[in-house]
């Protein structure tokens, strides 16, 4: 049997990658407008980074990491997300010494050993932004506005933004205790995962999908009723700023994210129509992460969005305003003479040097088949090299849109195409 790609991974073919590139460009343009600069961190890191950063009790660390021991007996892990790596890089490269805040973005593959299904893959791609060194609610609102603007520019409709505050180490323990007290008497009625989470990470019980557990959690104590004054004020300010920006949102007191580093703001943007895995973006504030990794307390906030889910959303809403790659000129040859082939080869190089997208026949095809290929490529012009014209130092240039044809000296073809084309 032939070898196939691993479960939960995708091949992106040229018809897809041309769209990826345009979406990446849109994201990079937004980063320039919002003042984010790119960081590229390793695809694998010390396992310890994710255990300390993402949290030892999370599903990601407990069940989903691609961890391996290398030949030097080190435990390494393919990154399941990029926030911990960005925080490590901020510390390791002493970016705390730069003017603050430091605003970084990244895009690339992440790896989680999850059960594959629509919208959930084992290798998937994230774009994310992180603001290190600002405790201001303005930073929270700025990144949410960034995400909202991105979806708007894509033309996506029907997105829902949910926000919550998950408190801080000062107020969270009160809520944790209240939640445990609420669940304790009925604990044996909860699913096995919730029973396990009860001791390790009770807040995550709120995220359980089981209808039985959800029912049992009806009227459970809400974190926003237990926030300390600082967290309360921060949360109201974020809401005020979102109101000022005209960004609609719902407060969801059950929104607890699957990573342990969050403090204060947590948010998700979702689109129901793409299926069970409807979160197209998630993030929040993580004021304790840098100190957990050994640095000075550094308030930070960020989000990441899933590229595959963006594509699913675009597809489901029939949005396809992406341009395909252009071919400005197709160089066809009348014969397979060495002189003809070399002239065509050199002409193609010269046109490309002048910035024109150009192709030449590489399969020794008949002239008819070459014309067909030029049509398939949707070329603007075909340049026909060879025969008597070549001995006169000229070639026929055919405009494929209106079928007009002109004999042009070889040395003028470049200018001719540039002047008559769109370029
Ligand atoms: P996350 O919610 O785990 O957060 O992932 C962010 C986004 O990545 C999700 O909303 C989803 O669109 C996409 N995603 C996650 N897992 C998969 C998967 N298995 N297949 C396809 N797409 C997926 C984080 O990763 C945090 N680092 C976000 C963050 C940045 N928080 C602060 N800064």
């Amino acid at each position: 049997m032939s070898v196939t790609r691993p479960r939960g991974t995708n091949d992106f073919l040229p018809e897809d990658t041309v769209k990826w590139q345009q979406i990446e460009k849109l994201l990079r343009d937004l980063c320039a407008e919002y003042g984010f600069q790119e960081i590229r961190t390793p695809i694998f890191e010390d396992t310890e980074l994710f255990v300390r950063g993402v949290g030892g009790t999370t599903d990601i660390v407990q069940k989903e990491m691609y961890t391996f021991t290398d030949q030097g007996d080190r435990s390494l892990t393919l990154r399941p997300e990029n926030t911990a790596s960005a925080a490590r890089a901020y510390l390791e490269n002493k970016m705390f010494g730069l003017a603050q805040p430091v605003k970084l973005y990244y895009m690339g593959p992440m790896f989680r050993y999850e059960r594959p299904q629509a919208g959930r893959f084992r290798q998937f791609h994230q774009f994310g932004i992180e603001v290190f060194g600002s405790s201001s609610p303005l930073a929270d609102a700025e990144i949410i506005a960034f995400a909202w603007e991105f979806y708007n520019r894509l033309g996506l409709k029907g997105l829902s933004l949910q926000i919550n505050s998950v408190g801080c180490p000062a107020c969270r323990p009160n809520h944790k205790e209240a939640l445990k007290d609420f669940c304790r008497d009925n604990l044996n009625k909860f699913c096995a995962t919730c029973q396990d989470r009860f001791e390790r990470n009770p807040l995550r019980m709120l995220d359980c999908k089981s209808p039985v557990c959800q029912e049992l959690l009806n009227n459970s104590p809400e974190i926003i009723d237990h926030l300390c004054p600082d967290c309360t004020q921060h949360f109201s300010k974020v809401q005020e700023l979102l109101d000022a920006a005209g960004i609609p949102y719902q407060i969801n007191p059950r929104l607890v994210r699957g990573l342990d580093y969050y403090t204060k703001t947590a948010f998700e943007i979702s689109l129901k129509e793409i299926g069970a895995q409807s979160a197209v973006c998630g993030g929040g504030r993580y004021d304790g992460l840098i100190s957990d990794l050994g640095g000075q307390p550094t308030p930070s906030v960020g989000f990441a969005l899933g590229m595959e889910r963006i594509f699913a959303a675009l597809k489901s809403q029939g949005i396809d305003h992406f341009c395909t790659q252009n071919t400005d000129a197709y160089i066809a040859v009348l014969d397979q003479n060495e002189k003809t082939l070399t002239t065509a080869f050199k002409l193609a190089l010269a046109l490309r040097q002048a910035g024109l997208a150009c192709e030449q026949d590489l399969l020794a095809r008949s002239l008819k088949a070459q014309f067909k290929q030029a049509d398939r490529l949707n070329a603007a012009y075909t340049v026909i090299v060879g025969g008597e014209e070549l001995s006169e130092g000229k070639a026929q240039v055919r405009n494929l849109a209106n079928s007009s044809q002109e004999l042009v000296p070889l040395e003028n073809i470049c200018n001719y195409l540039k002047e008559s084309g769109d370029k």
Side-chain angles (χ1 to χ4, degrees), residues 101 131-144 230 233-239 241 263-265 284-287 298-302:
V131 181
F132 293 104
S134 168
S135 59
S136 168
L138 279 166
D140 308 41
E142 184 176 285
I143 63 157
I144 296 175
D230 183 34
Q233 203 192 7
H234 188 96
F235 194 40
S236 338
K237 198 71 210 171
V238 172
Q239 292 170 55
L241 291 165
T263 53
K264 295 186 174 162
T265 315
R285 181 163 277 287
Y286 50 95
D287 291 346
T298 308
S300 312
V301 63

PDB file of all heavy atoms in Angstrom, residues 101 131-144 230 233-239 241 263-265 284-287 298-302:
ATOM      1  N   PRO A 101       5.218  48.335  25.642  1.00  0.00           N
ATOM      2  CA  PRO A 101       5.082  46.893  25.546  1.00  0.00           C
ATOM      3  C   PRO A 101       5.767  46.351  24.290  1.00  0.00           C
ATOM      4  O   PRO A 101       5.981  47.088  23.324  1.00  0.00           O
ATOM      5  CB  PRO A 101       3.571  46.694  25.458  1.00  0.00           C
ATOM      6  CG  PRO A 101       3.057  47.930  24.808  1.00  0.00           C
ATOM      7  CD  PRO A 101       3.961  49.039  25.262  1.00  0.00           C
ATOM      8  N   VAL A 131       0.898  40.752  23.447  1.00  0.00           N
ATOM      9  CA  VAL A 131       1.393  42.056  23.933  1.00  0.00           C
ATOM     10  C   VAL A 131       2.029  41.798  25.299  1.00  0.00           C
ATOM     11  O   VAL A 131       1.334  41.414  26.243  1.00  0.00           O
ATOM     12  CB  VAL A 131       0.233  43.061  24.116  1.00  0.00           C
ATOM     13  CG1 VAL A 131       0.764  44.411  24.598  1.00  0.00           C
ATOM     14  CG2 VAL A 131      -0.561  43.224  22.835  1.00  0.00           C
ATOM     15  N   PHE A 132       3.337  41.967  25.401  1.00  0.00           N
ATOM     16  CA  PHE A 132       4.029  41.754  26.676  1.00  0.00           C
ATOM     17  C   PHE A 132       4.313  43.106  27.325  1.00  0.00           C
ATOM     18  O   PHE A 132       4.854  44.007  26.668  1.00  0.00           O
ATOM     19  CB  PHE A 132       5.369  41.036  26.453  1.00  0.00           C
ATOM     20  CG  PHE A 132       5.201  39.622  25.968  1.00  0.00           C
ATOM     21  CD1 PHE A 132       5.417  39.298  24.634  1.00  0.00           C
ATOM     22  CD2 PHE A 132       4.829  38.610  26.845  1.00  0.00           C
ATOM     23  CE1 PHE A 132       5.260  38.000  24.178  1.00  0.00           C
ATOM     24  CE2 PHE A 132       4.670  37.306  26.407  1.00  0.00           C
ATOM     25  CZ  PHE A 132       4.887  37.006  25.068  1.00  0.00           C
ATOM     26  N   GLY A 133       3.971  43.223  28.615  1.00  0.00           N
ATOM     27  CA  GLY A 133       4.387  44.411  29.360  1.00  0.00           C
ATOM     28  C   GLY A 133       3.334  45.488  29.479  1.00  0.00           C
ATOM     29  O   GLY A 133       3.676  46.634  29.772  1.00  0.00           O
ATOM     30  N   SER A 134       2.062  45.166  29.277  1.00  0.00           N
ATOM     31  CA  SER A 134       1.019  46.176  29.535  1.00  0.00           C
ATOM     32  C   SER A 134      -0.094  45.544  30.355  1.00  0.00           C
ATOM     33  O   SER A 134      -0.612  44.485  30.002  1.00  0.00           O
ATOM     34  CB  SER A 134       0.427  46.723  28.233  1.00  0.00           C
ATOM     35  OG  SER A 134      -0.741  47.461  28.547  1.00  0.00           O
ATOM     36  N   SER A 135      -0.465  46.225  31.450  1.00  0.00           N
ATOM     37  CA  SER A 135      -1.580  45.725  32.265  1.00  0.00           C
ATOM     38  C   SER A 135      -2.862  46.468  31.904  1.00  0.00           C
ATOM     39  O   SER A 135      -3.913  46.207  32.474  1.00  0.00           O
ATOM     40  CB  SER A 135      -1.265  45.920  33.749  1.00  0.00           C
ATOM     41  OG  SER A 135      -1.044  47.295  33.994  1.00  0.00           O
ATOM     42  N   SER A 136      -2.768  47.391  30.943  1.00  0.00           N
ATOM     43  CA  SER A 136      -3.923  48.240  30.642  1.00  0.00           C
ATOM     44  C   SER A 136      -5.023  47.457  29.919  1.00  0.00           C
ATOM     45  O   SER A 136      -4.754  46.685  28.997  1.00  0.00           O
ATOM     46  CB  SER A 136      -3.473  49.407  29.743  1.00  0.00           C
ATOM     47  OG  SER A 136      -4.619  50.054  29.239  1.00  0.00           O
ATOM     48  N   PRO A 137      -6.286  47.703  30.318  1.00  0.00           N
ATOM     49  CA  PRO A 137      -7.410  47.089  29.581  1.00  0.00           C
ATOM     50  C   PRO A 137      -7.429  47.519  28.116  1.00  0.00           C
ATOM     51  O   PRO A 137      -8.023  46.838  27.276  1.00  0.00           O
ATOM     52  CB  PRO A 137      -8.652  47.596  30.309  1.00  0.00           C
ATOM     53  CG  PRO A 137      -8.194  48.422  31.444  1.00  0.00           C
ATOM     54  CD  PRO A 137      -6.714  48.541  31.440  1.00  0.00           C
ATOM     55  N   LEU A 138      -6.738  48.633  27.835  1.00  0.00           N
ATOM     56  CA  LEU A 138      -6.634  49.061  26.434  1.00  0.00           C
ATOM     57  C   LEU A 138      -5.969  47.976  25.587  1.00  0.00           C
ATOM     58  O   LEU A 138      -6.318  47.779  24.413  1.00  0.00           O
ATOM     59  CB  LEU A 138      -5.779  50.332  26.329  1.00  0.00           C
ATOM     60  CG  LEU A 138      -6.467  51.668  26.633  1.00  0.00           C
ATOM     61  CD1 LEU A 138      -5.431  52.759  26.827  1.00  0.00           C
ATOM     62  CD2 LEU A 138      -7.426  52.021  25.503  1.00  0.00           C
ATOM     63  N   ALA A 139      -4.992  47.289  26.176  1.00  0.00           N
ATOM     64  CA  ALA A 139      -4.287  46.230  25.431  1.00  0.00           C
ATOM     65  C   ALA A 139      -5.245  45.075  25.131  1.00  0.00           C
ATOM     66  O   ALA A 139      -5.256  44.530  24.014  1.00  0.00           O
ATOM     67  CB  ALA A 139      -3.069  45.739  26.217  1.00  0.00           C
ATOM     68  N   ASP A 140      -6.091  44.720  26.124  1.00  0.00           N
ATOM     69  CA  ASP A 140      -7.072  43.639  25.914  1.00  0.00           C
ATOM     70  C   ASP A 140      -8.011  44.038  24.773  1.00  0.00           C
ATOM     71  O   ASP A 140      -8.296  43.248  23.867  1.00  0.00           O
ATOM     72  CB  ASP A 140      -7.926  43.392  27.166  1.00  0.00           C
ATOM     73  CG  ASP A 140      -7.105  43.193  28.438  1.00  0.00           C
ATOM     74  OD1 ASP A 140      -6.109  43.915  28.614  1.00  0.00           O
ATOM     75  OD2 ASP A 140      -7.466  42.323  29.240  1.00  0.00           O
ATOM     76  N   ALA A 141      -8.499  45.305  24.859  1.00  0.00           N
ATOM     77  CA  ALA A 141      -9.467  45.768  23.854  1.00  0.00           C
ATOM     78  C   ALA A 141      -8.808  45.871  22.483  1.00  0.00           C
ATOM     79  O   ALA A 141      -9.426  45.572  21.460  1.00  0.00           O
ATOM     80  CB  ALA A 141     -10.049  47.116  24.276  1.00  0.00           C
ATOM     81  N   GLU A 142      -7.539  46.267  22.479  1.00  0.00           N
ATOM     82  CA  GLU A 142      -6.839  46.423  21.189  1.00  0.00           C
ATOM     83  C   GLU A 142      -6.736  45.082  20.451  1.00  0.00           C
ATOM     84  O   GLU A 142      -6.978  45.010  19.243  1.00  0.00           O
ATOM     85  CB  GLU A 142      -5.439  47.007  21.413  1.00  0.00           C
ATOM     86  CG  GLU A 142      -4.698  47.291  20.125  1.00  0.00           C
ATOM     87  CD  GLU A 142      -3.343  47.973  20.365  1.00  0.00           C
ATOM     88  OE1 GLU A 142      -3.336  49.171  20.675  1.00  0.00           O
ATOM     89  OE2 GLU A 142      -2.310  47.300  20.241  1.00  0.00           O
ATOM     90  N   ILE A 143      -6.383  44.026  21.194  1.00  0.00           N
ATOM     91  CA  ILE A 143      -6.219  42.741  20.478  1.00  0.00           C
ATOM     92  C   ILE A 143      -7.579  42.168  20.035  1.00  0.00           C
ATOM     93  O   ILE A 143      -7.680  41.548  18.984  1.00  0.00           O
ATOM     94  CB  ILE A 143      -5.397  41.708  21.280  1.00  0.00           C
ATOM     95  CG1 ILE A 143      -6.090  41.327  22.575  1.00  0.00           C
ATOM     96  CG2 ILE A 143      -3.962  42.174  21.522  1.00  0.00           C
ATOM     97  CD1 ILE A 143      -5.632  39.982  23.076  1.00  0.00           C
ATOM     98  N   ILE A 144      -8.613  42.416  20.852  1.00  0.00           N
ATOM     99  CA  ILE A 144      -9.942  41.935  20.433  1.00  0.00           C
ATOM    100  C   ILE A 144     -10.378  42.707  19.177  1.00  0.00           C
ATOM    101  O   ILE A 144     -10.914  42.132  18.227  1.00  0.00           O
ATOM    102  CB  ILE A 144     -10.974  42.074  21.574  1.00  0.00           C
ATOM    103  CG1 ILE A 144     -10.563  41.179  22.751  1.00  0.00           C
ATOM    104  CG2 ILE A 144     -12.377  41.711  21.084  1.00  0.00           C
ATOM    105  CD1 ILE A 144     -11.433  41.307  24.003  1.00  0.00           C
ATOM    106  N   ASP A 230      -9.823  44.896  41.754  1.00  0.00           N
ATOM    107  CA  ASP A 230      -8.950  45.163  40.605  1.00  0.00           C
ATOM    108  C   ASP A 230      -9.453  44.432  39.344  1.00  0.00           C
ATOM    109  O   ASP A 230      -9.554  45.011  38.260  1.00  0.00           O
ATOM    110  CB  ASP A 230      -7.519  44.719  40.965  1.00  0.00           C
ATOM    111  CG  ASP A 230      -6.541  45.021  39.849  1.00  0.00           C
ATOM    112  OD1 ASP A 230      -6.737  46.051  39.173  1.00  0.00           O
ATOM    113  OD2 ASP A 230      -5.607  44.215  39.628  1.00  0.00           O
ATOM    114  N   GLN A 233     -12.763  45.979  38.095  1.00  0.00           N
ATOM    115  CA  GLN A 233     -12.570  47.243  37.389  1.00  0.00           C
ATOM    116  C   GLN A 233     -11.985  47.001  35.993  1.00  0.00           C
ATOM    117  O   GLN A 233     -12.410  47.609  35.011  1.00  0.00           O
ATOM    118  CB  GLN A 233     -11.619  48.105  38.215  1.00  0.00           C
ATOM    119  CG  GLN A 233     -11.771  49.559  37.900  1.00  0.00           C
ATOM    120  CD  GLN A 233     -10.627  50.368  38.497  1.00  0.00           C
ATOM    121  OE1 GLN A 233      -9.668  49.821  39.035  1.00  0.00           O
ATOM    122  NE2 GLN A 233     -10.741  51.669  38.390  1.00  0.00           N
ATOM    123  N   HIS A 234     -11.042  46.077  35.936  1.00  0.00           N
ATOM    124  CA  HIS A 234     -10.409  45.764  34.648  1.00  0.00           C
ATOM    125  C   HIS A 234     -11.461  45.249  33.654  1.00  0.00           C
ATOM    126  O   HIS A 234     -11.517  45.680  32.504  1.00  0.00           O
ATOM    127  CB  HIS A 234      -9.310  44.707  34.862  1.00  0.00           C
ATOM    128  CG  HIS A 234      -8.477  44.458  33.649  1.00  0.00           C
ATOM    129  ND1 HIS A 234      -7.270  45.077  33.430  1.00  0.00           N
ATOM    130  CD2 HIS A 234      -8.675  43.664  32.570  1.00  0.00           C
ATOM    131  CE1 HIS A 234      -6.771  44.675  32.276  1.00  0.00           C
ATOM    132  NE2 HIS A 234      -7.607  43.808  31.729  1.00  0.00           N
ATOM    133  N   PHE A 235     -12.298  44.343  34.144  1.00  0.00           N
ATOM    134  CA  PHE A 235     -13.315  43.735  33.276  1.00  0.00           C
ATOM    135  C   PHE A 235     -14.312  44.787  32.781  1.00  0.00           C
ATOM    136  O   PHE A 235     -14.671  44.803  31.595  1.00  0.00           O
ATOM    137  CB  PHE A 235     -14.019  42.610  34.048  1.00  0.00           C
ATOM    138  CG  PHE A 235     -14.838  41.693  33.169  1.00  0.00           C
ATOM    139  CD1 PHE A 235     -14.386  41.288  31.919  1.00  0.00           C
ATOM    140  CD2 PHE A 235     -16.076  41.215  33.599  1.00  0.00           C
ATOM    141  CE1 PHE A 235     -15.138  40.435  31.110  1.00  0.00           C
ATOM    142  CE2 PHE A 235     -16.835  40.361  32.807  1.00  0.00           C
ATOM    143  CZ  PHE A 235     -16.367  39.980  31.565  1.00  0.00           C
ATOM    144  N   SER A 236     -14.731  45.706  33.683  1.00  0.00           N
ATOM    145  CA  SER A 236     -15.682  46.741  33.225  1.00  0.00           C
ATOM    146  C   SER A 236     -15.034  47.645  32.198  1.00  0.00           C
ATOM    147  O   SER A 236     -15.673  48.068  31.235  1.00  0.00           O
ATOM    148  CB  SER A 236     -16.202  47.657  34.328  1.00  0.00           C
ATOM    149  OG  SER A 236     -16.098  47.118  35.540  1.00  0.00           O
ATOM    150  N   LYS A 237     -13.757  47.943  32.393  1.00  0.00           N
ATOM    151  CA  LYS A 237     -13.071  48.843  31.458  1.00  0.00           C
ATOM    152  C   LYS A 237     -12.987  48.188  30.068  1.00  0.00           C
ATOM    153  O   LYS A 237     -13.211  48.845  29.049  1.00  0.00           O
ATOM    154  CB  LYS A 237     -11.672  49.148  32.025  1.00  0.00           C
ATOM    155  CG  LYS A 237     -11.023  50.339  31.438  1.00  0.00           C
ATOM    156  CD  LYS A 237     -11.678  51.651  31.882  1.00  0.00           C
ATOM    157  CE  LYS A 237     -11.511  52.667  30.764  1.00  0.00           C
ATOM    158  NZ  LYS A 237     -12.274  53.890  30.964  1.00  0.00           N
ATOM    159  N   VAL A 238     -12.680  46.882  30.044  1.00  0.00           N
ATOM    160  CA  VAL A 238     -12.615  46.185  28.744  1.00  0.00           C
ATOM    161  C   VAL A 238     -13.971  46.291  28.046  1.00  0.00           C
ATOM    162  O   VAL A 238     -14.050  46.604  26.849  1.00  0.00           O
ATOM    163  CB  VAL A 238     -12.198  44.693  28.922  1.00  0.00           C
ATOM    164  CG1 VAL A 238     -12.318  43.930  27.616  1.00  0.00           C
ATOM    165  CG2 VAL A 238     -10.771  44.589  29.462  1.00  0.00           C
ATOM    166  N   GLN A 239     -15.033  46.081  28.820  1.00  0.00           N
ATOM    167  CA  GLN A 239     -16.376  46.169  28.224  1.00  0.00           C
ATOM    168  C   GLN A 239     -16.657  47.567  27.681  1.00  0.00           C
ATOM    169  O   GLN A 239     -17.178  47.724  26.588  1.00  0.00           O
ATOM    170  CB  GLN A 239     -17.431  45.790  29.260  1.00  0.00           C
ATOM    171  CG  GLN A 239     -17.371  44.322  29.644  1.00  0.00           C
ATOM    172  CD  GLN A 239     -18.258  44.039  30.842  1.00  0.00           C
ATOM    173  OE1 GLN A 239     -19.448  44.333  30.838  1.00  0.00           O
ATOM    174  NE2 GLN A 239     -17.685  43.479  31.882  1.00  0.00           N
ATOM    175  N   LEU A 241     -14.556  49.724  26.613  1.00  0.00           N
ATOM    176  CA  LEU A 241     -13.760  49.963  25.399  1.00  0.00           C
ATOM    177  C   LEU A 241     -14.367  49.231  24.193  1.00  0.00           C
ATOM    178  O   LEU A 241     -14.390  49.755  23.081  1.00  0.00           O
ATOM    179  CB  LEU A 241     -12.304  49.551  25.613  1.00  0.00           C
ATOM    180  CG  LEU A 241     -11.527  50.449  26.591  1.00  0.00           C
ATOM    181  CD1 LEU A 241     -10.232  49.789  27.046  1.00  0.00           C
ATOM    182  CD2 LEU A 241     -11.228  51.807  25.939  1.00  0.00           C
ATOM    183  N   THR A 263      -5.447  34.905  33.283  1.00  0.00           N
ATOM    184  CA  THR A 263      -5.871  35.715  34.420  1.00  0.00           C
ATOM    185  C   THR A 263      -6.770  36.800  33.826  1.00  0.00           C
ATOM    186  O   THR A 263      -6.586  37.193  32.683  1.00  0.00           O
ATOM    187  CB  THR A 263      -4.676  36.416  35.083  1.00  0.00           C
ATOM    188  OG1 THR A 263      -3.945  37.127  34.078  1.00  0.00           O
ATOM    189  CG2 THR A 263      -3.743  35.439  35.784  1.00  0.00           C
ATOM    190  N   LYS A 264      -7.704  37.286  34.600  1.00  0.00           N
ATOM    191  CA  LYS A 264      -8.601  38.362  34.145  1.00  0.00           C
ATOM    192  C   LYS A 264      -9.308  37.990  32.826  1.00  0.00           C
ATOM    193  O   LYS A 264      -9.937  36.958  32.737  1.00  0.00           O
ATOM    194  CB  LYS A 264      -7.834  39.681  34.041  1.00  0.00           C
ATOM    195  CG  LYS A 264      -7.346  40.154  35.409  1.00  0.00           C
ATOM    196  CD  LYS A 264      -6.717  41.528  35.360  1.00  0.00           C
ATOM    197  CE  LYS A 264      -6.388  41.977  36.780  1.00  0.00           C
ATOM    198  NZ  LYS A 264      -5.443  43.054  36.834  1.00  0.00           N
ATOM    199  N   THR A 265      -9.082  38.794  31.766  1.00  0.00           N
ATOM    200  CA  THR A 265      -9.859  38.617  30.539  1.00  0.00           C
ATOM    201  C   THR A 265      -9.623  37.268  29.846  1.00  0.00           C
ATOM    202  O   THR A 265      -8.471  36.866  29.640  1.00  0.00           O
ATOM    203  CB  THR A 265      -9.486  39.724  29.533  1.00  0.00           C
ATOM    204  OG1 THR A 265      -9.455  40.966  30.224  1.00  0.00           O
ATOM    205  CG2 THR A 265     -10.448  39.774  28.368  1.00  0.00           C
ATOM    206  N   GLY A 284      -6.667  35.756  25.724  1.00  0.00           N
ATOM    207  CA  GLY A 284      -6.914  36.431  26.984  1.00  0.00           C
ATOM    208  C   GLY A 284      -5.636  36.928  27.610  1.00  0.00           C
ATOM    209  O   GLY A 284      -4.560  36.893  26.993  1.00  0.00           O
ATOM    210  N   ARG A 285      -5.793  37.367  28.848  1.00  0.00           N
ATOM    211  CA  ARG A 285      -4.676  37.953  29.587  1.00  0.00           C
ATOM    212  C   ARG A 285      -3.970  36.858  30.376  1.00  0.00           C
ATOM    213  O   ARG A 285      -4.606  35.899  30.836  1.00  0.00           O
ATOM    214  CB  ARG A 285      -5.255  39.042  30.495  1.00  0.00           C
ATOM    215  CG  ARG A 285      -4.268  39.789  31.313  1.00  0.00           C
ATOM    216  CD  ARG A 285      -4.841  41.083  31.852  1.00  0.00           C
ATOM    217  NE  ARG A 285      -4.749  42.149  30.851  1.00  0.00           N
ATOM    218  CZ  ARG A 285      -3.606  42.759  30.498  1.00  0.00           C
ATOM    219  NH1 ARG A 285      -2.445  42.400  31.043  1.00  0.00           N
ATOM    220  NH2 ARG A 285      -3.608  43.708  29.596  1.00  0.00           N
ATOM    221  N   TYR A 286      -2.664  36.957  30.487  1.00  0.00           N
ATOM    222  CA  TYR A 286      -1.899  35.955  31.246  1.00  0.00           C
ATOM    223  C   TYR A 286      -0.781  36.671  31.998  1.00  0.00           C
ATOM    224  O   TYR A 286       0.382  36.601  31.657  1.00  0.00           O
ATOM    225  CB  TYR A 286      -1.390  34.839  30.320  1.00  0.00           C
ATOM    226  CG  TYR A 286      -0.668  35.306  29.075  1.00  0.00           C
ATOM    227  CD1 TYR A 286       0.714  35.414  29.038  1.00  0.00           C
ATOM    228  CD2 TYR A 286      -1.379  35.656  27.929  1.00  0.00           C
ATOM    229  CE1 TYR A 286       1.376  35.863  27.895  1.00  0.00           C
ATOM    230  CE2 TYR A 286      -0.737  36.111  26.791  1.00  0.00           C
ATOM    231  CZ  TYR A 286       0.641  36.202  26.791  1.00  0.00           C
ATOM    232  OH  TYR A 286       1.292  36.653  25.665  1.00  0.00           O
ATOM    233  N   ASP A 287      -1.184  37.342  33.097  1.00  0.00           N
ATOM    234  CA  ASP A 287      -0.245  38.197  33.815  1.00  0.00           C
ATOM    235  C   ASP A 287       0.808  37.418  34.600  1.00  0.00           C
ATOM    236  O   ASP A 287       1.813  37.995  35.015  1.00  0.00           O
ATOM    237  CB  ASP A 287      -1.023  39.138  34.758  1.00  0.00           C
ATOM    238  CG  ASP A 287      -1.831  40.174  33.973  1.00  0.00           C
ATOM    239  OD1 ASP A 287      -1.583  40.319  32.754  1.00  0.00           O
ATOM    240  OD2 ASP A 287      -2.713  40.819  34.572  1.00  0.00           O
ATOM    241  N   THR A 298       5.196  40.235  34.506  1.00  0.00           N
ATOM    242  CA  THR A 298       5.037  40.999  33.266  1.00  0.00           C
ATOM    243  C   THR A 298       3.619  40.801  32.743  1.00  0.00           C
ATOM    244  O   THR A 298       3.306  39.738  32.191  1.00  0.00           O
ATOM    245  CB  THR A 298       6.045  40.489  32.194  1.00  0.00           C
ATOM    246  OG1 THR A 298       7.347  40.484  32.766  1.00  0.00           O
ATOM    247  CG2 THR A 298       6.037  41.343  30.939  1.00  0.00           C
ATOM    248  N   PRO A 299       2.734  41.777  32.951  1.00  0.00           N
ATOM    249  CA  PRO A 299       1.362  41.591  32.480  1.00  0.00           C
ATOM    250  C   PRO A 299       1.332  41.453  30.954  1.00  0.00           C
ATOM    251  O   PRO A 299       2.022  42.199  30.247  1.00  0.00           O
ATOM    252  CB  PRO A 299       0.658  42.883  32.923  1.00  0.00           C
ATOM    253  CG  PRO A 299       1.755  43.878  33.114  1.00  0.00           C
ATOM    254  CD  PRO A 299       2.974  43.109  33.523  1.00  0.00           C
ATOM    255  N   SER A 300       0.559  40.501  30.475  1.00  0.00           N
ATOM    256  CA  SER A 300       0.565  40.218  29.031  1.00  0.00           C
ATOM    257  C   SER A 300      -0.811  39.761  28.584  1.00  0.00           C
ATOM    258  O   SER A 300      -1.589  39.234  29.377  1.00  0.00           O
ATOM    259  CB  SER A 300       1.567  39.107  28.712  1.00  0.00           C
ATOM    260  OG  SER A 300       2.808  39.361  29.323  1.00  0.00           O
ATOM    261  N   VAL A 301      -1.064  39.929  27.301  1.00  0.00           N
ATOM    262  CA  VAL A 301      -2.366  39.527  26.757  1.00  0.00           C
ATOM    263  C   VAL A 301      -2.191  39.167  25.280  1.00  0.00           C
ATOM    264  O   VAL A 301      -1.320  39.739  24.603  1.00  0.00           O
ATOM    265  CB  VAL A 301      -3.403  40.671  26.971  1.00  0.00           C
ATOM    266  CG1 VAL A 301      -3.037  41.938  26.220  1.00  0.00           C
ATOM    267  CG2 VAL A 301      -4.814  40.257  26.626  1.00  0.00           C
ATOM    268  N   GLY A 302      -2.986  38.204  24.800  1.00  0.00           N
ATOM    269  CA  GLY A 302      -2.847  37.816  23.388  1.00  0.00           C
ATOM    270  C   GLY A 302      -3.972  36.903  22.955  1.00  0.00           C
ATOM    271  O   GLY A 302      -4.864  36.557  23.733  1.00  0.00           O
TER     272      GLY A 302
END
